[in-house]
Amino acid sequence: MMSTESDISADGRRRMMILNQKLDNPMDNEAEKLQGGYSQKEISGLLLLQLSFQCLGVVFGDLGTSPLYVFYNTFPHGIQDQEDVIGALSLIIYSLTLIPLIKYVYIVCRANDGGQGGTFALYALLCRHANIKSIPNQDRTDEELTTYSHSMYKEHSFSEKTKRWLEGRAWTKNVLLVLVLIGSCMVIGDGILTPAISVLSATGGIKLNHPKMSDDVVVYISVVILVLLFSVQHYGTDRISWLFAPIVLLWFILIGVIGMINICRYDTSALRAFSPIYIIRYFRRGKKNGWTSLGGIMLSITGTEAVFADLSHFPVSAIQMSFTVIVYPTLLLAYSGQAAYLLENPDHVVDVFYRSIPESIYWPMFLVATGAAVVASQATISATFSLIKQALALGCFPRVKVVHTSKVYPNQIYISDINWILMVLCVAVTAGFKNQNQIGNASGTAVAIVMLVTTVLMALIMILMWRCHWILVVIFTVLSLVVEGTYFTSVLFKVNQGGWVPLVIATAFFVIMYIWHYGVKMRYEFEIHSKVSMAWILGLGPSLGLARVPGVGLVYTDLPKGVPLIFSRFITNLPAIHSVVVFVCIKYLPVYTVPEEERFLIKRIGPKNYHMFRCVVRYGYRDLHRKDDDFEKVLFDSLYMHVRVEHMMEECTEVEPSMLDDHETSRSRDNSPLDVHENGNTTLSSIVDCTISSVESIMFAESPQASDNSNITSNAHLPPPGSRARKMELEEIEFLESCRAAGVVHILGNTVVMARRDAGFFKKLALDYVYAFLRKICRENSVMLNVPHESLLHVGQVFYV
């Protein structure tokens, strides 16, 4: 007797598992039908020239204005030997060649994710090629996306071994995430420091003709310029680039021409710096001073990380053309001209840029330099916006409002909250230091750390994505680490001279981003483990054990499978549920975009008389949920299309009338609520029998633009009006429309994550205080999802983790 009951219980659990798998299987057929419907538009030659011109005003401002302060920060205590000028120039030339030109513009920029750059874009690429994402909200259905490019590896290959090594250790996932967050926080820190040092250096030129002017006046002028700069950010990158690009183009032309004039006028021997032998001589003459001066030389390549992060605003080809044709040669001429001037006037190193300008064009050049310094700030500001948007989509930053500023270029964004935070911190740094030398030390520290992080991520990209031979990976990694590691060790000597600033700023942002991600991860894992079995929900019968009132209930959840705990709480505490229930899962994937025609996945849950559906809406980290003008309308259009084609497919399937009759009889027999017991009795068998044959009919959802045309097209292929499927279709569509007219309620979980009583001190501090505080000050999830306030229903619950 005991064994018989045990067998029944085991059989019941097995059948329950089969039913759950049937109900929650990924929508593979759906994804396969939608794949291949998206392709990127090619850029014409005229548009490429236009974008190349525009990117000057956004991408290369920081890198282009470095001649304002590089030699002063390299020799803050004066020039001891004229040969040191040649050695420093040689270091600048080869630093510009190896890092911005070769590494970033022609290697790292190739590792873009559909035009998206930055550390988070590299992380997204790695997450697609290896299962290292800390929040596992992906399934094999997502891999069918057109933009979800990933590689298959040969067994026992170097790439396959690396992939297994990354996936087989939990600490590697956390280390990679920490590296990405550190790199991103350093870019944000540089976005605060670059405007300060650029504007302060440019406005400092006014003291050349007014030596009695106080430093405070220069600081006040810089602060006013910075406030004006951040105040115009809401106009968008497109408009700002058209305004700034002519200024930057004029700047590059002038510094290139002035550089050639100075070379011919003062000392052509400065061109000897193109020989790398002078780098060796430079370090031999002064080992300690030469090493510490690298912090100033590194300022010649600040802004390089912004070039990669700003890829989301402009295509790679436009950036490569601008840098190769305009930026790189004019910078070499500018630095060479300053070096030639210093060979004749070594005492003028403090303000060498302005002193090397011919007197006849001094004031026009001062105005252009000030304008270019303002533009220089734009590169890091735009890069910061892009990184925050990517971090927000991947669950690594609190919810903030993101505004798309261009209808033509969807990558161009503006984040108001971040903009004003950057402005306050930038003004504080400018007013606090009043010295470009200390700000330069701080900027060098941030840049060095970002470059090291990029090198590590690029090594993994070369292995997993490009599948390069391990020798090439070693060569690239070693050369990059030698150059960047040398600079990094140099800036460490200047941590107490201003280098601590980016470390403090980055630490604050890192704590915010990591704790927010930790809270999101804990909430997701708790929901995964506490989700309700779909078989249990269906076991309640078509009425779900409650009164089904007219209307549509949209239950928002992070789960692409199963029933969220908030729904079971809802039906447990309230005596009624809507006649139509749609579980809406909105999830962000590690892809730059999900094409609109592949965004919505719709399927039915259970028999038709249950009127339950699942809608999975997928976004990339570049996409914005509010981009859909009417999300609710798109969802219902997709739902109607699913129902239409579902009935059409049933009509096309040749089914015996007797089988249809038996099926209807089975459905009518199970209209009453059913009770599912844990021991798996006959009631569970009846659930399996009545649902396993009719469950999970799958169909795709058309894009919003194609919804009207698709309705016409689908009507042309519909069964004859008198057919059984056609009649059932019309009845169900009419039923759905009547429920929609009765009212749509958005059911959203208001979840609070807290640490258990026996949790450690740091876990309680992170969740109960820091994460809770961030939740209070950030935007509500209902606002981010664009849910109408009048039809919103919150279901509160507390998670103890």
Side-chain angles (χ1 to χ4, degrees):
M1 183 68 179
M2 294 280 296
S3 60
T4 304
E5 292 180 356
S6 177
D7 293 341
I8 294 175
S9 177
D11 182 67
R13 287 193 296 269
R14 181 181 62 81
R15 295 172 68 84
M16 177 73 79
M17 185 180 299
I18 293 174
L19 179 57
N20 281 327
Q21 291 175 352
K22 276 284 184 179
L23 294 170
D24 282 331
N25 62 334
M27 294 180 259
D28 297 334
N29 296 334
E30 158 68 13
E32 290 176 1
K33 292 178 182 179
L34 296 180
Q35 190 178 22
Y38 172 79
S39 60
Q40 286 186 319
K41 297 180 180 179
E42 295 183 0
I43 300 176
S44 63
L46 183 62
L47 181 59
L48 179 62
L49 291 176
Q50 172 187 322
L51 293 174
S52 300
F53 171 71
Q54 282 185 270
C55 74
L56 288 174
V58 175
V59 177
F60 297 113
D62 185 8
L63 192 63
T65 53
S66 296
L68 285 168
Y69 44 78
V70 167
F71 276 108
Y72 167 60
N73 285 274
T74 303
F75 303 107
H77 306 295
I79 298 174
Q80 306 299 326
D81 190 339
Q82 288 188 342
E83 287 295 312
D84 289 344
V85 177
I86 304 295
L89 177 60
S90 185
L91 280 168
I92 292 172
I93 291 172
Y94 284 97
S95 296
L96 282 171
T97 304
L98 292 175
I99 297 179
L101 180 64
I102 297 178
K103 179 185 175 182
Y104 274 87
V105 173
Y106 284 100
I107 296 180
V108 175
C109 284
R110 286 187 57 231
N112 66 88
D113 186 14
Q116 305 297 302
T119 51
F120 273 106
L122 295 178
Y123 180 66
L125 285 172
L126 292 175
C127 288
R128 296 209 301 269
H129 289 79
N131 185 20
I132 58 173
K133 194 167 184 286
S134 56
I135 300 179
N137 64 338
Q138 302 169 232
D139 53 45
R140 63 175 182 267
T141 302
D142 301 324
E143 299 178 5
E144 302 296 335
L145 285 170
T146 305
T147 53
Y148 198 104
S149 58
H150 61 288
S151 303
M152 302 297 294
Y153 307 110
K154 295 181 180 179
E155 192 174 358
H156 304 303
S157 64
F158 183 59
S159 301
E160 195 267 342
K161 291 179 180 178
T162 305
K163 179 176 180 292
R164 280 191 301 165
W165 181 80
L166 290 173
E167 296 176 344
R169 294 163 176 79
W171 64 268
T172 56
K173 300 179 181 179
N174 197 43
V175 167
L176 280 176
L177 178 63
V178 169
L179 280 177
V180 170
L181 294 181
I182 290 175
S184 301
C185 292
M186 287 298 171
V187 173
I188 296 173
D190 193 38
I192 297 169
L193 298 170
T194 295
I197 188 174
S198 299
V199 175
L200 198 60
S201 300
T203 54
I206 199 173
K207 292 185 62 179
L208 191 62
N209 287 347
H210 301 80
K212 295 183 179 181
M213 181 179 292
S214 171
D215 290 338
D216 293 336
V217 176
V218 177
V219 173
Y220 294 149
I221 296 174
S222 302
V223 168
V224 171
I225 293 174
L226 289 171
V227 172
L228 291 175
L229 170 67
F230 284 98
S231 299
V232 301
Q233 290 300 315
H234 66 279
Y235 288 108
T237 308
D238 186 46
R239 296 180 181 179
I240 292 175
S241 62
W242 279 115
L243 174 65
F244 286 172
I247 299 175
V248 179
L249 180 61
L250 181 61
W251 162 262
F252 280 120
I253 293 175
L254 287 176
I255 64 173
V257 171
I258 293 173
M260 287 191 294
I261 293 174
N262 288 335
I263 292 172
C264 298
R265 181 179 178 182
Y266 294 103
D267 196 340
T268 57
S269 64
L271 298 178
R272 292 178 297 164
F274 282 87
S275 173
I277 192 67
Y278 289 93
I279 297 177
I280 301 175
R281 294 180 181 179
Y282 179 74
F283 286 114
R284 283 180 177 176
R285 278 191 302 275
K287 295 182 179 179
K288 183 178 179 180
N289 293 333
W291 196 267
T292 55
S293 67
L294 289 176
I297 293 174
M298 189 174 185
L299 294 178
S300 64
I301 56 176
T302 56
T304 304
E305 74 289 338
V307 172
F308 182 49
D310 280 327
L311 276 181
S312 59
H313 297 267
F314 300 97
V316 176
S317 54
I319 289 177
Q320 290 176 340
M321 178 180 293
S322 295
F323 187 84
T324 307
V325 176
I326 298 176
V327 179
Y328 179 69
T330 54
L331 284 177
L332 294 184
L333 288 172
Y335 287 118
S336 300
Q338 290 185 26
Y341 178 85
L342 288 175
L343 290 175
E344 295 290 334
N345 307 278
D347 296 334
H348 295 169
V349 67
V350 175
D351 43 18
V352 59
F353 175 79
Y354 284 108
R355 287 187 178 273
S356 62
I357 298 174
E359 293 183 4
S360 58
I361 61 170
Y362 175 80
W363 284 110
M365 191 61 191
F366 171 77
L367 295 177
V368 174
T370 305
V374 173
V375 176
S377 310
Q378 186 61 44
T380 51
I381 294 172
S382 301
T384 301
F385 290 160
S386 299
L387 285 173
I388 293 296
K389 173 65 176 70
Q390 295 171 1
L392 176 66
L394 296 175
C396 296
F397 201 83
R399 296 182 293 268
V400 292
K401 182 181 181 180
V402 180
V403 178
H404 281 261
T405 58
S406 174
K407 296 181 179 179
V408 180
Y409 308 108
N411 300 333
Q412 298 179 2
I413 59 175
Y414 167 72
I415 305 177
S416 175
D417 300 331
I418 301 301
N419 181 67
W420 302 123
I421 290 174
L422 291 180
M423 187 193 76
V424 171
L425 293 177
C426 187
V427 169
V429 169
T430 304
F433 280 108
K434 302 180 182 180
N435 187 339
Q436 57 168 295
N437 186 30
Q438 290 186 327
I439 301 177
N441 295 336
S443 180
T445 304
V447 172
I449 295 176
V450 173
M451 289 182 175
L452 289 173
V453 171
T454 302
T455 298
V456 175
L457 297 178
M458 274 301 301
L460 295 175
I461 290 291
M462 295 176 70
I463 297 172
L464 298 178
M465 182 178 173
W466 295 348
R467 285 178 282 187
C468 297
H469 196 277
W470 66 270
I471 295 179
L472 293 176
V473 178
V474 170
I475 293 174
F476 171 83
T477 306
V478 170
L479 288 178
S480 299
L481 290 179
V482 167
V483 176
E484 296 160 2
T486 303
Y487 280 121
F488 178 69
T489 55
S490 173
V491 298
L492 287 179
F493 288 100
K494 299 184 177 182
V495 170
N496 61 339
Q497 302 175 25
W500 57 270
V501 175
L503 299 179
V504 172
I505 295 174
T507 300
F509 275 95
F510 177 82
V511 169
I512 292 173
M513 296 171 75
Y514 189 81
I515 291 181
W516 180 265
H517 179 77
Y518 178 73
V520 171
K521 179 183 176 183
M522 290 293 101
R523 187 186 67 185
Y524 182 83
E525 290 181 350
F526 186 88
E527 289 185 355
I528 284 288
H529 291 98
S530 62
K531 67 180 180 180
V532 181
S533 168
M534 185 62 72
W536 177 78
I537 295 294
L538 296 183
L540 299 175
S543 66
L544 301 182
L546 304 168
R548 300 293 293 266
V549 298
V552 179
L554 301 181
V555 183
Y556 288 86
T557 173
D558 293 329
L559 305 177
K561 299 180 182 180
V563 179
L565 185 61
I566 61 168
F567 184 72
S568 64
R569 294 278 181 90
F570 180 82
I571 64 176
T572 301
N573 293 279
L574 294 179
I577 190 62
H578 302 88
S579 299
V580 177
V581 177
V582 182
F583 294 100
V584 182
C585 171
I586 296 179
K587 64 178 180 178
Y588 284 86
L589 301 175
V591 295
Y592 65 96
T593 185
V594 176
E596 293 185 3
E597 57 269 21
E598 301 181 41
R599 185 164 295 169
F600 287 81
L601 298 179
I602 303 284
K603 73 175 181 179
R604 187 188 298 275
I605 300 176
K608 293 180 181 178
N609 57 343
Y610 281 61
H611 301 298
M612 298 177 65
F613 301 88
R614 184 183 302 283
C615 176
V616 178
V617 190
R618 304 173 295 182
Y619 290 94
Y621 54 81
R622 192 193 74 178
D623 300 326
L624 191 66
H625 176 73
R626 293 186 63 135
K627 183 181 176 182
D628 297 326
D629 296 331
D630 192 345
F631 178 79
E632 184 180 309
K633 178 181 180 301
V634 176
L635 190 149
F636 277 101
D637 288 344
S638 304
L639 185 60
Y640 296 155
M641 180 57 59
H642 167 78
V643 172
R644 289 191 180 99
V645 182
E646 182 186 45
H647 286 283
M648 182 186 70
M649 293 176 65
E650 289 182 359
E651 177 68 15
C652 295
T653 305
E654 296 183 359
V655 183
E656 293 291 335
S658 59
M659 296 177 61
L660 287 175
D661 294 337
D662 293 341
H663 178 64
E664 292 297 324
T665 303
S666 175
R667 286 175 53 192
S668 63
R669 184 176 63 247
D670 294 303
N671 280 341
S672 58
L674 300 177
D675 187 18
V676 179
H677 301 285
E678 293 181 357
N679 59 357
N681 55 14
T682 308
T683 305
L684 177 60
S685 301
S686 64
I687 299 172
V688 177
D689 294 337
C690 73
T691 59
I692 207 166
S693 61
S694 60
V695 80
E696 306 295 272
S697 59
I698 300 169
M699 192 50 221
F700 62 91
E702 295 289 340
S703 63
Q705 293 85 349
S707 60
D708 295 336
N709 296 331
S710 61
N711 291 343
I712 299 173
T713 304
S714 61
N715 288 334
H717 297 282
L718 285 174
S723 66
R724 181 185 181 88
R726 175 62 166 164
K727 182 178 179 181
M728 293 176 61
E729 173 199 328
L730 294 176
E731 289 177 354
E732 186 165 12
I733 292 293
E734 183 180 355
F735 177 77
L736 292 176
E737 290 179 344
S738 64
C739 291
R740 181 184 179 186
V744 179
V745 177
H746 300 258
I747 304 172
L748 200 64
N750 188 14
T751 57
V752 177
V753 180
M754 300 187 67
R756 296 192 303 266
R757 290 186 177 181
D758 58 346
F761 170 75
F762 290 104
K763 190 173 184 178
K764 289 183 178 180
L765 176 65
L767 293 179
D768 296 350
Y769 296 96
V770 180
Y771 181 71
F773 174 74
L774 293 175
R775 285 188 68 254
K776 289 181 180 179
I777 64 174
C778 72
R779 293 170 67 84
E780 291 288 340
N781 200 26
S782 58
V783 178
M784 298 296 293
L785 296 176
N786 198 22
V787 174
H789 183 72
E790 61 275 7
S791 59
L792 175 64
L793 176 62
H794 275 296
V795 179
Q797 56 184 348
V798 179
F799 293 162
Y800 290 96
V801 296

